[in-house]
Amino acid sequence: MDIAIITGASSGLGREFARHIADRYQRLDEIWLIARRHERLEVLASELAPSTHTALRVVPLDLADSSSYGRLGKLLADAKPVIRVLVNNAGYEREGLLRDMRPADMLAMIDLNVKGVTMVNRVFLPYMSRGSFEIVTGSVSAFAPMPWQAVYGASKAYVRSLVFAIREEEHPRGVNIMLLSPGNMDTEMNVRGSGGGKIGMLPYLDLAGTVKRSLSLAERGCGEYTPMTFYKAYRLLAKLVPSTLMARFTRLNSGGANGRGL
Ligand SMILES: NC(=O)C1=CN([C@@H]2O[C@H](COP(=O)(O)OP(=O)(O)OC[C@H]3O[C@@H](n4cnc5c(N)ncnc54)[C@H](OP(=O)(O)O)[C@@H]3O)[C@@H](O)[C@H]2O)C=CC1
Ligand SMILES: N[C@@H](C=O)C(=O)O
């Protein structure tokens, strides 16, 4: 049984991936939609059902909760699928001065963006084989330290490092892993116009275009995709300039002394 799996499918980028995958890979037997909000996933599944022969499986899970990995392992052991496409996308973001942040928010980012993204790989990679590919959603926030988004940026820097390492581990058996590093996207996480800071004035990506291009690049074995020339230039800048100086620059873009939205 050939399947695709999308985490964070209940909104934003993940939901867009689900729509495109259902349309693009009509030969899949099942698509598994994972997120916490069960009803949202059910609505998406019924929206997609009329235009695909692929079965849609709603898998409501909290990927920040360690017990979910065992439950996924059990589902996989029962179904014994070949995972053709994996979109490891669920993410959580809260910002503020680290010394003032709610510990629960900080832990939620670490539990999902670091632990969850890592364990999704551990659980699913053994079921992927030659020709399969994974897209992991990182962020431009990984390129340089991000004052007022310190934990989120660091969690995405972890993702970036993880992806490039396991990409090499998986290459010999023909499984491609691609890091997608988006800039601003108008989703629940970052509703356009809702923040007071300067980051909100940076360009926003077109979700459909980003998803289409990501799938075609990952299919072809690409390892990294940063949409938009503006964010590619930022990636290059962050490579050339020392991190301490970059942090000063990103601090200004985060809203200066008061930070973004504070
Ligand atoms: N929006 C932006 O500007 C940018 C976003 N990103 C990254 O893109 C990815 C997608 O985010 P985006 O679509 O923008 O944001 P959304 O908030 O719209 O989507 C986040 C998704 O993650 C799911 N999710 C959150 N927490 C958990 C959890 N504990 N367990 C399982 N699923 C969870 C949410 O579903 P539910 O709440 O139902 O669990 C939702 O489906 C994230 O990794 C984000 O960090 C990167 C760069 C920029
Ligand atoms: N979530 C984003 C910003 O708020 C990002 O990853 O840049």
Side-chain angles (χ1 to χ4, degrees):
M1 177 171 75
D2 285 350
I3 71 166
I5 297 177
I6 301 117
T7 74
S10 63
S11 80
L13 186 66
R15 186 167 52 193
E16 196 69 25
F17 265 112
R19 288 179 178 140
H20 284 262
I21 285 169
D23 184 52
R24 190 178 179 107
Y25 307 112
Q26 293 273 346
R27 291 218 188 125
L28 289 170
D29 297 297
E30 284 190 9
I31 299 176
W32 293 13
L33 305 169
I34 302 181
R36 290 167 303 179
R37 286 172 290 178
H38 193 173
E39 338 69 57
R40 289 283 203 104
L41 297 177
E42 292 291 355
V43 169
L44 176 63
S46 28
E47 180 200 307
L48 299 180
S51 53
T52 179
H53 298 296
T54 304
L56 294 145
R57 190 189 289 216
V58 165
V59 186
L61 279 179
D62 181 349
L63 292 172
D65 178 347
S66 299
S67 68
S68 298
Y69 317 133
R71 290 166 65 192
L72 278 174
K74 172 89 178 62
L75 281 181
L76 290 164
D78 290 346
K80 297 186 183 50
V82 175
I83 301 171
R84 290 288 164 210
V85 181
L86 170 60
V87 183
N88 188 348
N89 163 77
Y92 186 73
E93 190 254 348
R94 286 290 177 272
E95 57 200 35
L97 286 176
L98 187 139
R99 67 171 180 273
D100 291 339
M101 285 188 77
R102 289 179 51 217
D105 284 339
M106 297 161 71
L107 289 172
M109 282 187 273
I110 294 167
D111 283 347
L112 181 62
N113 303 356
V114 174
K115 185 178 76 177
V117 167
T118 307
M119 289 310 293
V120 161
N121 277 292
R122 176 61 187 91
V123 168
F124 292 133
L125 278 174
Y127 289 87
M128 299 179 79
S129 62
R130 186 159 295 281
S132 300
F133 67 84
E134 174 182 1
I135 296 170
V136 186
T137 308
S139 166
V140 296
S141 302
F143 298 158
M146 297 287 294
W148 288 277
Q149 269 192 327
V151 178
Y152 178 76
S155 74
K156 292 295 187 176
Y158 170 92
V159 170
R160 186 174 163 80
S161 175
L162 179 85
V163 169
F164 294 152
I166 59 176
R167 172 180 163 74
E168 282 311 306
E169 292 179 5
E170 296 304 318
H171 181 73
R173 65 182 193 114
V175 173
N176 184 44
I177 307 185
M178 185 184 87
L179 177 70
L180 164 64
S181 302
N184 276 336
M185 296 185 291
D186 187 5
T187 63
E188 282 175 22
M189 181 182 282
N190 185 15
V191 177
R192 196 196 292 243
S194 66
K198 292 182 190 159
I199 289 180
M201 286 152 68
L202 302 181
Y204 276 74
L205 304 182
D206 163 54
L207 280 191
T210 300
V211 164
K212 255 194 231 162
R213 182 94 179 120
S214 298
L215 290 170
S216 82
L217 289 172
E219 279 167 14
R220 287 188 266 144
C222 178
E224 181 173 22
Y225 174 41
T226 304
M228 267 199 185
T229 311
F230 177 88
Y231 292 113
K232 286 185 176 75
Y234 172 60
R235 189 179 77 190
L236 180 65
L237 184 75
K239 222 181 218 172
L240 300 175
V241 175
S243 294
T244 44
L245 283 183
M246 279 308 293
R248 198 148 288 179
F249 171 76
T250 54
R251 178 184 120 185
L252 295 176
N253 278 304
S254 306
N258 294 322
R260 180 179 170 202
L262 297 177

